Amino acid sequence: MCRSFEVISGKKNKGDKGLLKGLTKMYRDAKYSVAIIPIPVELLEIDTRYQTEVRTDRSLMYLVNNWDENKLLPLIGVPHWEEGKVYLVDGYGRWVASQMVDKEKYTDLQVLLILNAPNNAEERLEFEAEMYAYQNKQVARMTAIQKHGAMVVLHDKATERLEKLKEKYGFEYASCKGNRSASVLGSYSVTLNICNIDDGKAAEFIFDICKGAGFDRKPNGYSTGVMKVLLDMYKLYPENRDKVQKYLIKELRKITPLLLKARGVAKYPFLDYRLAMSLYVEDMIVDNLGLDQAREVKENSTKLVMIKKRKNIA
């Protein structure tokens, strides 16, 4: 018996064997394995042996505040014919939240019933526990690049900025990992995150340098390493960005992205290659522009240590 449901709704979630069999009869007679059926909320239940009924107020209020009936997916449950109940393996939060939204309106909820679950109680328990623990395991996780078109339609600011940058600088996206040919982003998600920084100014700073230095026409010119190096310089020297940008365009024009990586790793072999590249470029700026060193690495250390405070940008 789910105490949370009863407290919030004021209803008793007691089973009804006759009602449950009546609601599902046509689907069972037709030998359906699954069926989406409106089930009275009083017939719903959870098994606390594999699922906790504890939900934080924050978790429930998130569901309530973002409630949209037109986008509400069916809950998933397993019928327990001997009790006249449906035990949920997915959707407990929506069940309880529905009663917080409008308990008079939501007297029943759409439930995807698994009609071919084992009848033996122990086998059914294991079946439910596996469904609960590994829900969505058979569904491939959607990546940021796969959501790109949808986020453009939804007018996501960072995605729209990225689209405008694509039109301006002519780069392409790639969903697979590995070395990149010219004009292909090393990481879509990293670039998208950069587009969220400083209303897109950080991304423009980076792409202007890559284009001016010819990195846009070189393999791995938009690699994650290069993008993060230039983002570091944007953050470390906010008062001297124009000077830093002009200097890096001139100096990086003389080398390739792979040579930049090789020089960084050679100078700082104990650092991750991206940190090594970043500190190497910082050294270039300090030595040639006379700006203050912002970071340092302790002897034989694998970490960088800030020397001066930097402007907080995000």
Side-chain angles (χ1 to χ4, degrees), residues 8 49 189 196 217 219 287:
I8 290 171
R49 286 176 291 180
S189 57
N196 263 322
R217 301 185 299 277
D287 293 342

Side-chain angles (χ1 to χ4, degrees), residues 93-106:
R94 280 167 282 161
W95 172 39
V96 175
S98 70
Q99 303 305 292
M100 298 171 68
V101 172
D102 190 339
K103 62 185 177 182
E104 302 301 326
K105 177 180 180 180
Y106 294 107

Side-chain angles (χ1 to χ4, degrees), residues 4 19 68 121 125 131 184 224 286 293 311:
S4 297
L19 178 57
D68 186 339
L125 176 63
M131 289 288 294
V184 178
T224 303
V286 171
Q293 191 84 35
K311 184 180 179 182

Side-chain angles (χ1 to χ4, degrees), residues 232-240 244 282 285-286 290-296 304-312:
D232 284 345
M233 299 311 111
Y234 179 87
K235 291 181 175 181
L236 292 173
Y237 298 104
E239 295 86 6
N240 304 99
V244 168
E282 182 182 339
I285 290 171
V286 171
L291 301 181
D292 293 335
Q293 191 84 35
R295 301 169 299 176
E296 65 180 359
L304 291 180
V305 179
M306 293 298 300
I307 298 175
K308 68 171 186 177
K309 291 183 179 179
R310 72 182 184 191
K311 184 180 179 182
N312 186 22

Side-chain angles (χ1 to χ4, degrees), residues 10-24:
K11 304 169 184 176
K12 295 283 186 182
N13 62 322
K14 53 186 179 180
D16 188 322
K17 291 184 280 188
L19 178 57
L20 182 59
K21 288 181 178 178
L23 290 170
T24 59

Side-chain angles (χ1 to χ4, degrees), residues 108-146:
D108 55 50
L109 293 170
Q110 295 287 332
V111 180
L112 190 154
L113 281 184
I114 303 172
L115 299 173
N116 61 351
N119 290 318
N120 176 272
E122 288 302 316
E123 292 178 2
R124 186 177 61 199
L125 176 63
E126 290 185 11
F127 176 85
E128 290 175 9
E130 185 174 346
M131 289 288 294
Y132 174 74
Y134 300 111
Q135 52 189 286
N136 298 324
K137 184 180 179 181
Q138 292 80 19
V139 180
R141 184 178 179 183
M142 189 174 289
T143 63
I145 194 170
Q146 290 171 328

